[in-house]
Amino acid sequence: MKPEVTISEPLTLASISDGRLYELKDLVRADAGGCEGCSACCCGVGELVKLTPFDIYEMMRGLEVSFDDLLADHLELRTADKITLPYLKMLGPDERCSFLSDEGRCSIHAFRPNICRLFPLGRVYLENDFKYFLQVDACVKPKLKMVKVAQWIGIENYEKNKTFLLAWHTCLKALAFRFKFIRDAEELKAANDYLLEVFYRITLKEGEDFYDAFFKSLAKAKDRLGIIV
């Protein structure tokens, strides 16, 4: 499972996909029929499900909890490229997602993370755009049904969400470059703490939606962290 790649990784994409790039209107063989009796893709994927600020906002809103509540029970912080971000926490010997019920069903299905929403699709980033690809042999179901990409993803305010995802992808690339040059451990910790505070503890003002709040936070982070997005 490699849910996100960039166009600079052609060999990786070719090795895990059916060779096609899909758009919203396209039909793709991705429908697992409600995943009846199966939760294979919800186990052992802790290092892959990197959560965006929108993912966390949706969880906080859906469960009526805080970011710190989620960290206590369902998430863990991981560091890659010196950037510390929240990931889904896996539990037990079979590394089950912490949101998986005893019956093997997702308890946050209505507001599940974007990467989970996509599977078995993935996202490939182009310049100022992205398209979707089908991860071959990623789903253990033997026969997947055809479904429109837009229907499978099922996200509200798609264009706003896409604009956010592109901005967040660009932001993470800029942060990875900026953080390369931070060699003081305390300075790096402070930068990561600020990153979590400004993006993952977003609170909305009256009449404001997540996307408005995010782009205000992004403007603040550019100045505070010295990044160019």
Side-chain angles (χ1 to χ4, degrees), residues 10-111:
L11 293 179
T12 299
L13 184 60
S15 67
I16 64 174
S17 78
D18 64 356
R20 291 186 57 190
L21 294 180
Y22 296 89
E23 299 188 48
L24 275 187
K25 65 181 183 299
D26 292 330
L27 286 167
V28 61
R29 198 170 292 281
D31 188 349
C35 304
E36 185 177 354
C38 181
S39 56
C41 66
C42 302
C43 299
V45 293
E47 77 280 7
L48 297 174
V49 189
K50 179 169 58 180
L51 300 167
T52 71
F54 180 74
D55 293 332
I56 296 299
Y57 168 74
E58 285 286 274
M59 289 181 193
M60 291 191 299
R61 184 172 66 92
L63 295 171
E64 299 183 342
V65 297
S66 70
F67 177 53
D68 294 294
D69 291 332
L70 290 171
L71 282 175
D73 298 319
H74 294 289
L75 312 179
E76 61 184 351
L77 297 177
R78 291 173 176 255
T79 302
D81 295 325
K82 293 186 173 182
I83 303 172
T84 301
L85 296 172
Y87 288 69
L88 285 183
K89 182 186 290 184
M90 302 289 122
L91 302 174
D94 52 354
E95 297 187 335
R96 293 163 56 90
C97 173
S98 61
F99 287 111
L100 201 62
S101 71
D102 292 340
E103 293 74 33
R105 307 304 288 174
C106 177
S107 63
I108 58 167
H109 186 75
F111 41 93

Side-chain angles (χ1 to χ4, degrees), residues 76-221:
E76 61 184 351
L77 297 177
R78 291 173 176 255
T79 302
D81 295 325
K82 293 186 173 182
I83 303 172
T84 301
L85 296 172
Y87 288 69
L88 285 183
K89 182 186 290 184
M90 302 289 122
L91 302 174
D94 52 354
E95 297 187 335
R96 293 163 56 90
C97 173
S98 61
F99 287 111
L100 201 62
S101 71
D102 292 340
E103 293 74 33
R105 307 304 288 174
C106 177
S107 63
I108 58 167
H109 186 75
F111 41 93
R112 62 199 181 280
N114 203 281
I115 285 178
C116 302
R117 189 177 289 275
L118 283 175
F119 187 83
L121 299 182
R123 189 184 295 115
V124 58
Y125 285 88
L126 313 164
E127 186 175 354
N128 300 318
D129 196 10
F130 60 70
K131 295 187 186 300
Y132 302 97
F133 65 93
L134 177 64
Q135 301 181 72
V136 294
D137 300 324
C139 179
V140 300
K141 288 280 188 178
K143 290 184 179 180
L144 302 181
K145 299 176 183 178
M146 298 294 284
V147 63
K148 271 197 175 182
V149 172
Q151 181 183 347
W152 183 247
I153 296 171
I155 194 81
E156 294 182 2
N157 299 314
Y158 178 83
E159 290 302 325
K160 280 189 172 185
N161 190 258
K162 181 174 182 177
T163 299
F164 155 72
L165 287 170
L166 288 169
W168 183 240
H169 179 73
T170 301
C171 178
L172 290 182
K173 288 198 299 181
L175 285 170
F177 180 79
R178 171 71 182 90
F179 284 10
K180 278 183 182 179
F181 303 99
I182 301 180
R183 294 178 173 83
D184 180 80
E186 288 302 315
E187 181 184 355
L188 184 61
K189 182 180 183 304
N192 273 308
D193 287 346
Y194 176 78
L195 177 67
L196 294 173
E197 184 66 33
V198 74
F199 287 120
Y200 288 93
R201 293 186 176 91
I202 286 179
T203 55
L204 306 187
K205 296 178 181 178
E206 186 176 352
E208 189 177 47
D209 69 4
F210 165 82
Y211 303 107
D212 294 332
F214 168 79
F215 281 103
K216 288 178 183 177
S217 295
L218 183 59
K220 294 177 184 176

